[in-house]
Amino acid sequence: MAERGGQAAAFGFQYQYLVTLEELLAAAEGLRPGVHAAVIEPTETDAEGVDDPDAIDFDLVDGDRSPVLAAQVKSGGPGTELSAPTAFAVLMRMIKARPSAKAYSLITNMILHSKAVHLNRVLRLTDPDELQQQLAALLERSSRQKENAKGLNHDELLRLRRARIVPDTREPHELREQLRERIRKFRSQQRSGLGLRSAGRMTNHLVSEIFRRACGEFDGVLTLTDFRSELLTEATHLAHDLGSFDWGIMVGPVPSPPDLPRPGLLAHIHRALTEAPEDRVVRACVLLGLSGIGKTSAAAAYAHDVADSYDHIFWVDAESDASLAASYHALHDWLAPQQAQANMDSSALRHRVHALLSAFPGRWLMIIDNASDRRRLLPWLPTSGRGHLIITSTNQSSWATHPRRVPVTHLTTDQAVSLIRLRLSNDGSVWDKGSEQAAVELAQNLEYWPLAIELACGYLASCGLGLAEVSRYLELIRDRALDDEQSVPPGYPRTLVAAIRVALQRIGRAAKGVRQQDISSAAIASITTASYLASRQIPLQLLVAAAVVPKESVMRSGLKGPLIMVESSQNPLSVLEIHRALRTESLVQRSEPLSAGGPHRQAKSEHPDELDETISINEIVQHVVRDTLEGSGDVEPILSRAAFHTQGWLAEFIDDEDEHRMHRLVPHAQSLAGHALRLGTSSDDLAVLYGNLGGAYFRIGSLAGARSCFEAELNVIRARTAPAPVLEIKTLFPLVAVMREQGAPLDCLFHHLKRVHELALQLADSHPTDAASAVANVLTTLRTATHREVPGEAVIRLIADLQALGARLPDTDVSKILAEIGYITQALSDRSVDYAEIEIRCRAMLDNAQLPIAQRIDVIALLAEALAFQGSWTDVAVELATLNGYATTSKLNPQTIATAVHNVGLQVGMALIQNEPHALPSLYRLTEIIAHVDEEHLDRAADGPLKLLVLRLLDALYRSDRTETEALLTEFETTDKSVLDAAHEIGWRLLTFRTVAMATAALPG
């Protein structure tokens, strides 16, 4: 009893100090005018008041220490009721102890008795005599308080009229939450900011300051000045206490705040996002305007301006599906680092990130930049959570029906002049009336377009010209604008297009000397190549190499992977100088490093910093450059050289399992492929690019994307004037693998398989290793297929022909690996080899450091099966833990891991239904893997859902989770069991039957 009493007392003091904090916060917010300080547990009384120190818990006083509000806080446990006599007695003590107070508050979390509620209404009566009569009648049953009411004099009645009972129905956690939010809002209004953890820390700190006064420190006085000072503690101090900032955290490539403020535009965005009360429905606004008008800058400016109001600010690049997926992967890794590399396709990734944002307790802002198609973007938009969305788009029609559109138009005259002054008078030069007039003339002629002004200022500055030369520059772009009239995109000022072309011309003419001429030529070639890549995060080294390094030079050097042009006196071209030439004319900007936002991982390159450096280019600049080139030049060599270098980078990242950089390179490969298709351009290098892009899709489990790319590659190859059997056979076997993963029957694959055989026969003498690798890969696919599907006679003959051909072809590293995996798989299937021997063969393969990841996962799964057949369950759990490591640390190879789950799951399940408890840790490992691999990959085969259901049911059964067991049994009733009717599924049929029987028996009734 004593302990519960102590807890009640502690709760009472905690509630009292939280309420005191709430009143102080109201005073700081200006809701309590005239308050200068709070006096906590005051010991002094008014000169005319009764000495009753317990009557008042805290006073809010003015500058003369006269009480503005006298307060008493009464708390009670759940269901405790406050009666009218008790409340009246408290109020009587308060008005006698503080006769000079302007107001009295009895604040309580107890339930008010109906008569106490009536008492609160009676206190509002204006006539003192009527008040006294009503009090006496209300307190009729309490003789003592009735007499006290009758004994009140006129002054005391007037004081009582200023008293109120303030009921508080909030739970303690609700009160704390409201205080935290009010503190955060107060700080954000003062540009100080606060996160959830720091808001809780600040609340506790302020309560401790109140407690110190309650203990007599500072005579119990907490001035409003001191309170505000504590409330607005320096953000860096809070961050130091916490170890880091927990608010205003920017995730993704958020641009720096623009130099030119546009307050009217920011206010419009703010109104659009905050005009309705905050709830858990995400509010969005769309910034609409043409390219180069300042949409991205406005979104970045808003993000930096209100950063203190949000816990997190997320930046998403919506230029393409690939860039959206890459941005969402980065968001997922930030929000759920413990699951940062879980295997997910785009759909699963979207759902997971949306769930994380919905559950996120703090406030967040997401900026989705460069979203062209509303319909394509809609599935990516979060709808639930304490968040706001800002979308930027040039597509006016697509967003025409959105309720919160914010048009971004050209600058005002003052803004345009300010931008020009910022760019051209930062060297201390005098800004006079002539400068002002020249700036106005320049702005007018450029139609107040931000990008055009930036380009003009870049030109004038790089030429060493000032505003005095504005007339000459304007004459130049006017002439160019008239010439370019037909090529100006709709809605854009002709002078903008002219300014872009003048900037390009300026790069070409700026060279002095042979070396500088080479740099200028390389810069022009780089900007041309950049126009066919995605606009964001273009690797600088890739761009320059694709612009100036011929394929033949790389082939002669024998270089594999990214070409890095190291700065040296022997190298005639400097990437840094090329970059400087482009930036001098404001045509490109620095972008976030390629590795930013990903797990800490050293690239294989000897020059990782150069590998990661990237730039961005505005879409209208890309458009103008493409328009110029496509109207007068041959694009195919540019696209082919870019495709050659891009596929080399992509292949390197795929082979190195560097999925973060791979994701960021995919948009550039997509862009090149898209432009090639648009222009009807084809080449071997573009075909190989399709193939590597397909390989990237396949590795992340996007089978539809992979198939589309392989088929595009095949179309390019077959359209060649001269046959390309090596390229064709290298395209066919991954296409067959993808189609088989999609569930295509053998009959649908036959014509591709027959073509592989024909090509392999052609290449057997001239390219035996290519033929051997293709045959080995196709036989591996067929081995899996024929295990599940009875082949027809034509397929059987074709398999025999391929096997015969493979036998006379030379062994390659690939064919040896695939042959050994095939041998082990067949041995496990027909049980023709001792399991100990299979274990030895598997471990020998795993000792090979060159074994590719996909095949390594295959072998680990085979080893786990062999160990399971031997009853070595400790070792099985070890191998499954290794598989789980791959599932949790990489999004790549989901199909291989899914196959391992199905194969090993049968052995683990069979052991458990045969009362082998040592297999239980292996079951738990399997369920961990299932949790990390997206169900789309696990369920891809028709029998996948049922097999997973059986494993989950077995898991629930052994965990004695009756609720889960019952739910899974109910799900089992509606699941198609016929998928296990095939003869080779006898083991799964038995496991299913026994598991369901055990689960049914375990449930009551």
Side-chain angles (χ1 to χ4, degrees), residues 572-839:
L573 286 178
S574 165
V575 173
L576 293 179
E577 289 186 40
I578 294 170
H579 186 199
R580 187 182 302 115
L582 294 173
R583 293 190 67 206
T584 297
E585 300 299 327
S586 300
L587 289 170
V588 303
Q589 303 82 38
R590 286 189 184 277
S591 192
E592 196 176 44
L594 202 63
S595 61
H600 179 71
R601 174 182 178 145
Q602 188 73 23
K604 282 175 62 176
S605 169
E606 295 178 4
H607 308 281
D609 292 339
E610 289 86 347
L611 183 87
D612 279 337
E613 188 173 6
T614 71
I615 61 169
S616 295
I617 180 173
N618 190 275
E619 297 93 331
I620 189 61
V621 175
Q622 290 180 305
H623 177 96
V624 171
V625 173
R626 288 197 303 267
D627 184 74
T628 302
L629 180 67
E630 291 167 16
S632 60
D634 184 7
V635 179
E636 190 275 327
I638 296 169
L639 289 177
S640 291
R641 189 162 57 234
F644 170 74
H645 286 278
T646 302
Q647 64 86 12
W649 281 54
L650 192 57
E652 173 79 1
F653 295 150
I654 293 173
D655 292 343
D656 194 33
E657 299 286 317
D658 191 344
E659 59 190 285
H660 183 81
R661 290 185 176 92
M662 183 197 78
H663 274 298
R664 273 138 192 81
L665 208 67
V666 165
H668 301 299
Q670 273 189 338
S671 182
L672 284 170
H675 286 298
L677 290 172
R678 173 178 65 84
L679 296 168
T681 299
S682 63
S683 70
D684 289 353
D685 293 316
L686 283 165
V688 174
L689 177 67
Y690 289 133
N692 276 323
L693 186 56
Y697 283 136
F698 185 72
R699 297 295 287 277
I700 61 176
S702 178
L703 297 185
R707 180 171 177 175
S708 175
C709 287
F710 290 136
E711 287 176 341
E713 181 182 19
L714 196 60
N715 290 336
V716 171
I717 293 167
R718 287 178 172 173
R720 291 174 95 254
T721 305
V726 173
L727 285 177
E728 186 175 355
I729 201 169
K730 285 184 175 181
T731 305
L732 278 170
F733 69 74
L735 176 58
V736 167
V738 169
M739 292 175 68
R740 185 59 203 169
E741 285 287 347
Q742 288 182 312
L746 285 171
D747 290 344
C748 292
L749 302 177
F750 182 76
H751 67 288
H752 286 318
L753 295 170
K754 186 177 179 182
R755 181 61 178 163
V756 170
H757 181 242
E758 293 170 356
L759 292 168
L761 284 172
Q762 291 179 34
L763 297 169
D765 295 326
S766 60
H767 294 81
T769 56
D770 291 319
S773 294
V775 169
N777 273 285
V778 166
L779 284 173
T780 299
T781 300
L782 283 170
R783 189 177 295 111
T784 304
T786 53
H787 177 66
R788 291 175 166 271
E789 182 181 346
V790 178
E793 288 186 12
V795 174
I796 292 173
R797 285 197 302 271
L798 182 59
I799 292 173
D801 290 342
L802 286 167
Q803 288 173 334
L805 178 59
R808 68 182 180 87
L809 288 170
D811 286 335
T812 67
D813 290 341
V814 172
S815 65
K816 287 177 183 177
I817 290 170
L818 294 177
E820 183 69 355
I821 290 176
Y823 173 84
I824 294 170
T825 302
Q826 190 63 41
L828 284 170
S829 177
D830 57 25
R831 307 188 182 189
S832 58
V833 179
D834 183 73
Y835 297 124
E837 181 187 335
I838 293 176
E839 178 188 351

Side-chain angles (χ1 to χ4, degrees), residues 124-346:
R124 290 174 169 78
L125 294 173
T126 56
D127 184 349
D129 293 334
E130 184 182 1
L131 173 60
Q132 193 165 39
Q133 292 171 7
Q134 291 280 354
L135 287 173
L138 179 64
L139 301 168
E140 179 69 32
R141 294 192 177 183
S142 175
S143 55
R144 181 176 179 183
Q145 299 307 328
K146 178 181 178 181
E147 290 304 315
N148 285 338
K150 288 182 175 180
L152 291 168
N153 60 38
H154 183 76
D155 286 343
E156 289 171 336
L157 286 166
L158 292 178
R159 281 180 242 151
L160 200 57
R161 283 170 46 199
R162 303 197 295 271
R164 295 291 182 270
I165 305 171
V166 182
D168 181 4
T169 60
R170 295 170 295 182
E171 295 291 333
H173 69 88
E174 293 176 312
L175 173 56
R176 278 191 170 274
E177 173 65 22
Q178 289 178 14
L179 283 171
R180 284 197 295 267
E181 286 303 309
R182 284 177 69 176
I183 290 170
R184 293 180 70 185
K185 183 177 180 181
F186 184 88
R187 285 181 61 92
S188 67
Q189 288 171 343
Q190 309 298 319
R191 293 290 191 268
S192 293
L194 214 57
L196 280 177
R197 287 172 58 222
S198 49
R201 182 72 62 87
M202 174 60 75
T203 304
N204 292 338
H205 170 67
L206 294 173
V207 167
S208 72
E209 289 297 311
I210 292 169
F211 178 74
R212 290 175 64 189
R213 270 71 176 182
C215 293
E217 291 188 46
F218 308 103
D219 295 325
V221 177
L222 179 55
T223 67
L224 206 54
T225 300
D226 289 343
F227 178 74
R228 283 198 180 102
S229 176
E230 297 291 345
L231 192 55
L232 297 176
T233 296
E234 283 289 336
T236 51
H237 296 165
L238 281 171
H240 183 269
D241 288 344
L242 289 167
S244 64
F245 284 92
D246 70 337
W247 70 95
I249 299 170
M250 297 192 176
V251 181
V254 183
S256 300
D259 296 324
L260 180 71
R262 300 176 74 174
L265 183 55
L266 299 192
H268 194 168
I269 297 171
H270 186 72
R271 286 195 303 273
L273 293 176
T274 61
E275 61 189 359
E278 184 176 321
D279 52 25
R280 289 185 54 77
V281 176
V282 176
R283 291 183 65 80
C285 73
V286 185
L287 309 190
L288 292 169
L290 297 175
S291 185
I293 199 68
K295 302 180 300 300
T296 298
S297 293
Y302 186 81
H304 287 279
D305 188 58
V306 300
D308 291 326
S309 299
Y310 297 97
D311 292 74
H312 286 79
I313 296 167
F314 304 108
W315 193 276
V316 172
D317 180 3
E319 183 175 8
S320 66
D321 287 337
S323 62
L324 273 167
S327 295
Y328 259 56
H329 278 300
L331 262 64
H332 179 274
D333 292 354
W334 179 269
L335 291 167
Q338 71 280 5
Q339 305 170 27
Q341 305 299 325
N343 285 294
M344 282 179 284
D345 64 0
S346 293

Side-chain angles (χ1 to χ4, degrees), residues 17 114 131 165 188 455 498 542 554 576 651 711 766 874 910 912 927:
Y17 298 149
S114 58
L131 173 60
I165 305 171
S188 67
L455 291 170
L542 168 61
V554 179
L576 293 179
E711 287 176 341
S766 60
T874 301
M910 292 297 287
L912 288 170
T927 55

